[in-house]
Amino acid sequence: MANVSVAAEWQLLGDRYYRKPELYHPMQWRHIDLSRNKVACAPFGGPVALIRDDSKIVQLYSESALRKLRLFNSAGVSLSDVVWKNTGGRLIGLSWSDDHTLVCIVQDGTVYRYNVHAELIEPNLSILGHYFDENVVECVFWGNGVVCVTDTCKVFAVPDFKTRTVVRLADPPPPPPGELELELELPHCVAVIEPQYTLSGNVEVLLAIRDGVVMVEEDEVQALPVPPGDGPLQKMVVSGNGRFVAAFTHDGRLAVYSTRFEKMFEYQCESALPPEQLAWCGLDSVLLYWDDMLLMVGPSDEPVRYLYDEPIVLVPECDGVRILTNTSMEFLQLVPNSTVSIFKIGSTSPAALLYDALDHFDRRSAKADENLRLIRSSLPEAVEACVDAAGHEFDVSRQRTLLRAASYGQAFCSNFQRDRIQEMCKTLRVLNAVRNPEIGIPLSIQQYKLLTPSVLIGRLINAHRHLLALRISEYLGMNQEVVIMHWACSKITASLAIPDAALLEILLDKLRLCKGISYAAVSAHADKNGRRKLAAMLIEHEPRSSKQVPLLLSIGEEDTALMKATESGDTDLVYLVLFHIWQKKQPLEFFGMIQARMLARDLFITYARCYKHEFLKDFFLSNGQLQEVAFLLWKESWAKGKNPMASRGSPLHGPRIKLIEKAHSLFSETKEHTFESKAAEEHAKLIRMQHELEVTTKQAIFVDSSISDTIRTCIVLGNHRAAMKVKTEFKVSEKRWYWLKVFALATIRDWDALEKFSKEKRPPIGYRPFVEACIEADEKGEALKYIPKLADPRERAEFSGLMITHVKLIIAFIFLCLLAFLCSDWNGQGSC
Amino acid sequence: MAQIPNLDNAPLNLTSLREQSQKELLNILKNIRGKKCLVIDPKLGSSLSSIIQTSLLKLNLMKFICSNVHDDVSKGLQREYFVYFVPRRTVVCEKILEEENVYNLMTIGEYPLYIVPLDEDVLSFELDLAYKESQVDGDTSSLWHIAKAIHKLEFSFGVIPNVRAKGKASVRVADILNRMQAEEPVNSPDMVVPEINTLILLDREVDMVTPMLSQLTYEGLIDECLHVNNGSVELDASIMGLQQEGKKIKVPLNSSDKLFKEIRDLNFEVVVQILRQKATSMKQDYTEVTTTTQSVSELKDFVKKLNSLPEMTRHINLAQHLSTFTSKPAFLGQLDMEHTIVEAQSYDICFEYIEELIHKQEPLVNVLRLLILFSITSSGLPKKQFDYLRRELLHSYGFEHMATLNNLEKAGLLRKQESKSNWLTIKRALQLVVEDTDTANPNDIAYVFSGYAPLSIRLVQHAVRSGWRPIEEILKLLPGPHSETKRGRFSSSLSFDTLQASANIDKVADGRRSLVLVVFIGGITFAEISALRFLSAQEGMAYDLIVGTTKIVSGHSLAETFVERLG
């Protein structure tokens, strides 16, 4: 039966089954011998990097003596290669970082980084810095970081290749004084606990030195108590969750410790020789690899042995280990529970029966129904197990059978979540698509969930698999912007030969697929690639002016930028352009550019009015707006008036008056500003006069008051001649003169003078000013003198009634007074 | 009583708007660690009191900040500086900070407060200088902010399908709003009817007559005499009948005060009568309670009525204080003159009146109000008189007011006559002057100015009732272009004249009427808000009206923005 053959491939370790399905066989590469090479495989089914191992003596066949760094996908399809010409000595270690950058560390501590296209990513990083006489002897990588140990046993770490900072960790303790002859004492082996699993959030390095282990941190060294008899440890590796350490002791035992080195378990191996490779398989077992044997040790006694007649590389994954050989890629994993329940020999679990029922159903056997009846009550869990098992399957036809079994069972149970099967189909389609040897990313479903679809898409586009990435993101209902954007940028980089217009068409064709995509970003990329014209054409399509304008500036399209900014109505953008041009251009050119653009010009003037007076004057002069310059000068004259330091010297020829006179002459340049011109002239005259008055009266109360005020002040001071002089000098009308004098006299309550004034001649505006002034001063008796003289009988009546006109409101007023009184009365009682 | 207006009865969910603003502010404060010294732009401070509420940080303020920081630095004080821009950081402000070498010393952030709900039906963008800036300086920043604020509203309440705009700035705002929708679309689900049906944008420039007139509604009059600031007035405690000499108290004025809500929009004459009636009836009840024996339930009713006593006392005190202003002959004279100018029949009388005001050196802003009114209704003054009055102004108030005159001329508020005035045509066509207005039982919005119907609100009235097409000829006589657009998914379907018919369909399912948002660019007066409320309350009105404005203004505050001393 089919079931038997499935389970026959499993191995039992303790009470758990393991299986080792082949992911790729044969590998697509030819003539690769892993043992001749240094190999780096990225987890999550990532790419494989190979380079001839320069620490081994190998025979060269018909090949160049120059070494080549070769990159493959997990199925052995070549991605790219490059000749290794880097200086710095022997290659010590290479590994893939989380974002699929290949990090290579050479002897002198230089770090070379490559992308999956084997292009060197500048700049290089030097770990050892000024310790140039030291060499790196060992390095251990994790996620995005590395720890290096030098030949003098100094420890350096790069916590994150993105930030590129190097940290020197604390030095491990020196050898005890008695053993000084062992001058160079290097650790037997090194392991790291990733920052995400440590308390401090910094990396912790475990060094096996002498009989013990020390833990080194940034500024702390701590000796860990290794159980006596175990040390020196020959090889160490930390588990995927950072909580356990597997180590191979000097006497051939495999021991598993907690990270504080409390022993959990040990196993006596047959060989005391340390294994070439030591790796965790998930969290349940440890793999040891010697020359031709792979030993899998679990918590129970009896290990599993696999024999290999070719070299292998172990690639730890979160849920197992991938085994790379010269000719194949396998995946060693714990058989999932759902799979066990279905395929275990003699299994009578509901899932197994359901699977069997499908088989009968396909063969049109009535036994199908019988099986179903047996498991009726537990049908949902049987369906669930089939769906789950299908997910863990690498073989497409078996996936299909399991899913068919699930859907067959689902037909008989009403309360099963229907979209569960659909979801699984979707996920499997994606997984199968990326497992295709051409793509070569053999993800298990668990890895896929841990990696997340968006990271997977990121990796696909990074490997320039844009079409597949687009299809997947479309299929999963994700935003396609990332993919299209990356495609567009890559396209621009790769299409140096295509003329701008043609390339634009190609790009637009795809960019249109995605609403709201940032044309500005693509355009910026084009500009960075030296295609300014293309950038300008692209930016035209960006709908968001806030993105468009800054970019236009950066590609030197100031005029367009100014236009777009103005159109957008966002003054902030206009200012942005304005300052940019201002800084970049000669003043005259700048003036020319903004002159024709109203909004830009007005904003410039507003700003300059506050902060750049002189520059603003230049601007107005450059376009002949002399009156504006005049206004500015006039304004400055006031600032001078307020500043006592500026008014030193003779006030009559002081800088203030000069400024006003200058303004006057500028105003008179144009016909339209005769009014302003006259006003400035009068103003200058007024200030002179006021200065004189201040000198004669010895009172500093005149300057900066108006003409009317000056007259009033003169009259109040009793200086009628001066008042008269001001009046004639500035041709003050009789009307105004009467109002001013009447009110001034009333202010000093000189009622006789007022009466005399009223009799001088018939006042040009009648006697109303006299009445009003008296009433305002609350001299009703005086007012009565003039009321009969009023010409208008209505006015006469009005003033006789002493201002009471709006009867309605007055009544309301009296009433309200009463009411307020009433209310306060109530309030009083209320509080009693 | 609550200082913050209660928004529960608002036709839109404004509470959520306010809560969001509160949360954002708290987040800002939380994000800064340690002890804080909060320095708030005084304009902003009063605004914050009603959101806890905005204004654009202005250029001069930057100078102020810089000088403070420099001061600290020279004293060797080490402080952390956080500058938060309301509603957003601007290139120009940052440039100044950079030039003053303090940019690196401070952390810059923004507090995106674009809209402040002042009351159930009034939203303010708190751009108090918007009118002057765009009219005089050509700085149209405020227009972008208005569009942004409306766009923000659209994110909460759906794309507004109908937009009508009159005036240069309004048309521009409508244009920017469309751009924003294109750049950053509001995704409204297709089947949901947007809560706001129509947006009417009006430039203050279109109607500068109305704000220059003295408002005669209760709330308007309070603003004219006492200057309402963010929903409250500050008064001497003695006016409110408290025994604390010289102390100022703040009296909140919003719709949480039930009595105020009832009388705020009425003509002041009517308010006096209503207060009298209420007081009399209470007095009657009081005498009944004290003289006759009454059942417990009757007593209970009386006590209930007593609860409204503090509100009554407050408004009686206020009304009494107002009448001291309104009974002055100067006030009455001014009212008379305003009506004469609006009638536009007796040019010489008006001219002489204004001339006399100048000669008497009455407060400048009062003179400017009448002068603006005069200039607009007669579309400018003949050159000789224009120059004469300007000269008299400079002589009376000082040459430094040259800048003020210049501003007014740039804004077109005080200018030389170039063509014949068409004010009479407009006045007649829109029936702006209504004879025999019954202020107690008004049947027309003219009651708010005792016989003059605000031009701006007439335009809204027409827009809501029958669209602008019938009055297109008149619209052309007013300054600025006008536009009507359909947006969103409605853009292709209905034409504008079917708005009325479609209003029934648009009715939101739960029986609420659909909304019209009326936005005044450059400010709205309380009297105009009252007129809009009056319209909204009319029978047969298909919409609720809510008001958006750059700021609540009065003729005084509006004229004041133009006053600038050269010094």
Side-chain angles (χ1 to χ4, degrees), chain A residues 96-136:
Chain A
W96 293 94
S97 72
D98 280 346
D99 56 352
H100 280 184
T101 307
L102 182 67
V103 181
C104 310
I105 297 182
V106 295
Q107 228 170 346
D108 72 351
T110 313
V111 178
Y112 297 100
R113 293 175 303 150
Y114 290 89
N115 63 16
V116 284
H117 309 293
E119 293 153 354
L120 191 65
I121 303 172
E122 302 278 3
N124 302 325
L125 169 71
S126 174
I127 288 185
L128 295 184
H130 58 275
Y131 301 96
F132 43 79
D133 50 350
E134 309 215 355
N135 287 309
V136 175

Side-chain angles (χ1 to χ4, degrees), chain A residues 433-604:
Chain A
V434 297
R435 283 170 189 168
N436 181 305
E438 211 34 55
I439 308 297
I441 306 180
L443 284 174
S444 72
I445 190 163
Q446 209 174 330
Q447 291 163 21
Y448 171 69
K449 283 184 176 151
L450 199 64
L451 190 68
T452 71
S454 60
V455 176
L456 177 62
I457 284 169
R459 296 197 165 175
L460 285 173
I461 57 182
N462 194 22
H464 289 185
R465 296 288 181 180
H466 292 108
L467 184 59
L468 182 64
L470 186 69
R471 293 268 160 80
I472 291 179
S473 58
E474 192 179 358
Y475 186 61
L476 296 178
M478 292 163 63
N479 189 359
Q480 300 169 29
E481 186 176 339
V482 198
V483 183
I484 294 179
M485 180 75 75
H486 192 277
W487 171 83
C489 295
S490 315
K491 185 77 188 169
I492 292 170
T493 316
S495 316
L496 288 175
I498 305 178
D500 289 334
L503 185 53
L504 179 73
E505 273 318 303
I506 299 172
L507 291 172
L508 287 182
D509 203 35
K510 301 279 190 294
L511 290 173
R512 272 189 214 111
L513 290 176
C514 187
K515 261 192 185 161
I517 199 164
S518 168
Y519 286 82
V522 183
S523 168
H525 183 84
D527 183 42
K528 228 168 37 193
N529 276 267
R531 303 192 67 156
R532 190 148 276 200
K533 216 173 134 210
L534 178 66
M537 286 151 113
L538 275 168
I539 194 62
E540 192 59 34
H541 293 269
E542 171 64 55
R544 279 159 293 196
S545 3
S546 56
K547 297 252 170 66
Q548 192 180 28
V549 170
L551 202 66
L552 279 169
L553 286 180
S554 73
I555 62 172
E557 299 273 337
E558 284 99 359
D559 243 356
T560 326
L562 193 52
M563 193 180 77
K564 294 280 179 192
T566 313
E567 271 174 18
S568 79
D570 185 348
T571 45
D572 197 40
L573 284 177
V574 182
Y575 267 125
L576 182 77
V577 181
L578 211 56
F579 289 135
H580 184 92
I581 305 177
W582 191 341
Q583 209 161 38
K584 223 170 128 181
K585 307 254 170 183
Q586 292 299 314
L588 276 182
E589 201 182 342
F590 171 63
F591 294 155
M593 273 183 97
I594 60 171
Q595 182 56 35
R597 305 206 188 264
M598 221 171 50
L599 182 60
R601 193 191 59 208
D602 289 343
L603 289 178
F604 162 73

Side-chain angles (χ1 to χ4, degrees), chain A residues 3-221:
Chain A
N3 299 8
V4 179
S5 68
V6 173
E9 292 170 359
W10 301 349
Q11 289 81 31
L12 194 63
L13 179 70
D15 57 349
R16 326 219 23 196
Y17 290 99
Y18 280 80
R19 67 175 175 183
K20 205 172 53 134
E22 258 170 357
L23 300 175
Y24 300 110
H25 182 84
M27 294 293 276
Q28 307 282 316
W29 61 36
R30 292 277 170 270
H31 314 302
I32 293 288
D33 181 0
L34 294 177
S35 59
R36 285 158 46 97
N37 290 293
K38 270 196 185 307
V39 185
C41 298
F44 292 102
V48 180
L50 290 176
I51 185 163
R52 204 169 64 219
D53 192 346
D54 51 357
S55 62
K56 287 181 186 164
I57 298 170
V58 295
Q59 183 185 353
L60 291 185
Y61 299 98
S62 53
E63 59 187 297
S64 156
L66 281 175
R67 292 190 294 155
K68 244 184 181 178
L69 176 65
R70 296 198 281 174
L71 307 182
F72 299 90
N73 71 16
S74 285
V77 175
S78 172
L79 297 173
S80 53
D81 52 43
V82 67
V83 175
W84 179 270
K85 283 185 286 197
N86 297 325
T87 56
R90 187 169 282 171
L91 179 65
I92 303 299
L94 75 168
S95 172
W96 293 94
S97 72
D98 280 346
D99 56 352
H100 280 184
T101 307
L102 182 67
V103 181
C104 310
I105 297 182
V106 295
Q107 228 170 346
D108 72 351
T110 313
V111 178
Y112 297 100
R113 293 175 303 150
Y114 290 89
N115 63 16
V116 284
H117 309 293
E119 293 153 354
L120 191 65
I121 303 172
E122 302 278 3
N124 302 325
L125 169 71
S126 174
I127 288 185
L128 295 184
H130 58 275
Y131 301 96
F132 43 79
D133 50 350
E134 309 215 355
N135 287 309
V136 175
V137 289
E138 170 97 62
C139 47
V140 181
F141 295 89
W142 79 91
N144 267 333
V146 69
V147 163
C148 296
V149 181
T150 68
D151 48 6
T152 57
C153 212
K154 291 192 178 71
V155 185
F156 295 88
V158 181
D160 190 346
F161 288 116
K162 287 204 188 81
T163 58
R164 301 162 35 86
T165 45
V166 181
V167 181
R168 187 179 163 193
L169 302 184
D171 284 333
E179 299 170 40
L180 265 179
E181 64 274 18
L182 294 167
E183 207 179 330
L184 205 101
E185 193 197 33
L186 286 175
H188 309 292
C189 57
V190 185
V192 297
I193 304 175
E194 295 183 29
Q196 54 173 324
Y197 301 122
T198 63
L199 267 176
S200 61
N202 293 323
V203 67
E204 291 176 0
V205 185
L206 302 173
L207 300 172
I209 295 181
R210 290 183 296 281
D211 284 355
V213 170
V214 290
M215 189 186 75
V216 175
E217 273 183 281
E218 211 162 305
D219 40 29
E220 197 186 350
V221 179

Side-chain angles (χ1 to χ4, degrees), chain B residues 317-551:
Chain B
N317 281 327
L318 258 178
Q320 177 192 350
H321 186 59
L322 286 183
S323 9
T324 58
F325 290 91
T326 55
S327 56
K328 275 190 192 146
F331 179 79
L332 298 168
Q334 190 182 336
L335 277 192
D336 255 4
M337 190 43 57
E338 284 170 3
H339 276 238
T340 318
I341 296 176
V342 168
E343 286 283 2
Q345 303 285 17
S346 6
Y347 179 87
D348 289 337
I349 294 177
C350 305
F351 179 82
E352 278 162 23
Y353 186 86
I354 294 170
E355 183 193 15
E356 189 183 304
L357 288 183
I358 297 173
H359 288 167
K360 283 157 80 175
Q361 292 181 292
E362 293 286 340
L364 178 65
V365 173
N366 292 0
V367 177
L368 289 181
R369 265 178 92 158
L370 279 182
L371 203 50
I372 291 170
L373 193 61
F374 190 42
S375 169
I376 290 173
T377 51
S378 39
S379 78
L381 306 174
K383 174 144 183 14
K384 214 178 133 194
Q385 295 176 335
F386 177 58
D387 282 350
Y388 170 71
L389 283 184
R390 283 202 293 170
R391 180 169 175 269
E392 296 296 305
L393 267 173
L394 292 182
H395 279 201
S396 290
Y397 300 97
F399 288 101
E400 63 265 39
H401 284 293
M402 195 65 231
T404 309
L405 292 176
N406 201 24
N407 285 345
L408 288 171
E409 200 176 345
K410 268 191 197 158
L413 296 178
L414 176 59
R415 57 193 175 91
K416 211 162 55 185
Q417 197 170 47
E418 264 146 8
S419 58
K420 229 185 125 259
S421 163
N422 45 36
W423 172 248
L424 282 176
T425 325
I426 297 167
K427 190 186 81 173
R428 208 172 307 127
L430 295 176
Q431 292 168 298
L432 297 185
V433 175
V434 180
E435 305 293 343
D436 306 324
T437 317
D438 179 1
T439 47
N441 297 300
N443 54 7
D444 187 79
I445 52 174
Y447 83 93
V448 297
F449 288 103
S450 299
Y452 163 78
L455 166 57
S456 51
I457 309 305
R458 272 281 192 262
L459 293 181
V460 175
Q461 197 177 8
H462 278 281
V464 175
R465 211 179 264 162
S466 50
W468 276 343
R469 197 150 297 165
I471 54 163
E472 205 153 298
E473 289 309 310
I474 299 300
L475 276 183
K476 279 184 191 156
L477 296 180
L478 294 165
H482 63 277
S483 75
E484 300 183 292
T485 30
K486 289 236 159 226
R487 300 165 71 229
R489 63 204 156 90
F490 301 91
S491 54
S492 50
S493 56
L494 303 157
S495 93
F496 241 94
D497 290 314
T498 55
L499 183 105
Q500 195 59 34
S502 69
N504 299 325
I505 309 161
D506 290 347
K507 239 176 215 171
V508 185
D510 56 6
R512 283 190 296 165
R513 297 187 293 182
S514 56
L515 282 172
V516 173
L517 172 63
V518 185
V519 172
F520 275 75
I521 300 174
I524 189 171
T525 60
F526 281 116
E528 285 170 301
I529 296 177
S530 296
L532 282 174
R533 286 191 185 126
F534 175 81
L535 276 188
S536 192
Q538 287 303 292
E539 225 169 288
M541 177 72 185
Y543 300 96
D544 270 329
L545 299 176
I546 51 173
V547 181
T549 179
T550 46
K551 184 86 187 170

Side-chain angles (χ1 to χ4, degrees), chain A residues 538-707:
Chain A
L538 275 168
I539 194 62
E540 192 59 34
H541 293 269
E542 171 64 55
R544 279 159 293 196
S545 3
S546 56
K547 297 252 170 66
Q548 192 180 28
V549 170
L551 202 66
L552 279 169
L553 286 180
S554 73
I555 62 172
E557 299 273 337
E558 284 99 359
D559 243 356
T560 326
L562 193 52
M563 193 180 77
K564 294 280 179 192
T566 313
E567 271 174 18
S568 79
D570 185 348
T571 45
D572 197 40
L573 284 177
V574 182
Y575 267 125
L576 182 77
V577 181
L578 211 56
F579 289 135
H580 184 92
I581 305 177
W582 191 341
Q583 209 161 38
K584 223 170 128 181
K585 307 254 170 183
Q586 292 299 314
L588 276 182
E589 201 182 342
F590 171 63
F591 294 155
M593 273 183 97
I594 60 171
Q595 182 56 35
R597 305 206 188 264
M598 221 171 50
L599 182 60
R601 193 191 59 208
D602 289 343
L603 289 178
F604 162 73
I605 294 173
T606 310
Y607 172 79
R609 234 180 247 293
C610 283
Y611 289 95
K612 300 272 182 229
H613 243 191
E614 291 305 314
F615 197 65
L616 186 59
K617 268 188 228 161
D618 292 346
F619 173 71
F620 286 136
L621 284 174
S622 79
N623 59 29
Q625 285 176 287
L626 299 179
Q627 75 281 5
E628 295 292 344
V629 184
F631 271 120
L632 284 178
L633 291 174
W634 207 347
K635 187 172 174 159
E636 278 172 26
S637 81
W638 256 277
K640 287 254 159 61
K642 278 184 191 146
N643 182 357
M645 289 300 285
S647 53
R648 274 185 308 182
S650 158
L652 293 182
H653 308 285
R656 240 190 117 182
I657 293 178
K658 268 196 189 137
L659 279 173
I660 299 173
E661 276 170 348
K662 184 110 182 278
H664 158 66
S665 70
L666 280 171
F667 275 130
S668 56
E669 295 273 323
T670 46
K671 260 192 196 144
E672 294 86 50
H673 298 94
T674 34
F675 178 80
E676 287 84 353
S677 162
K678 230 185 220 149
E681 193 182 1
E682 281 187 324
H683 188 207
K685 200 156 76 178
L686 176 65
I687 294 183
R688 281 213 181 93
M689 215 162 196
Q690 287 171 333
H691 275 301
E692 282 166 22
L693 280 169
E694 288 191 357
V695 172
T696 51
T697 60
K698 297 200 174 81
Q699 294 197 62
I701 49 172
F702 286 98
V703 172
D704 280 348
S705 63
S706 69
I707 294 177

Side-chain angles (χ1 to χ4, degrees), chain A residues 762-781:
Chain A
R762 207 186 134 67
I765 42 170
Y767 290 94
R768 198 157 48 85
F770 294 86
V771 182
E772 278 186 26
C774 295
I775 291 175
E776 204 163 275
D778 219 12
E779 284 286 344
K780 283 170 199 149

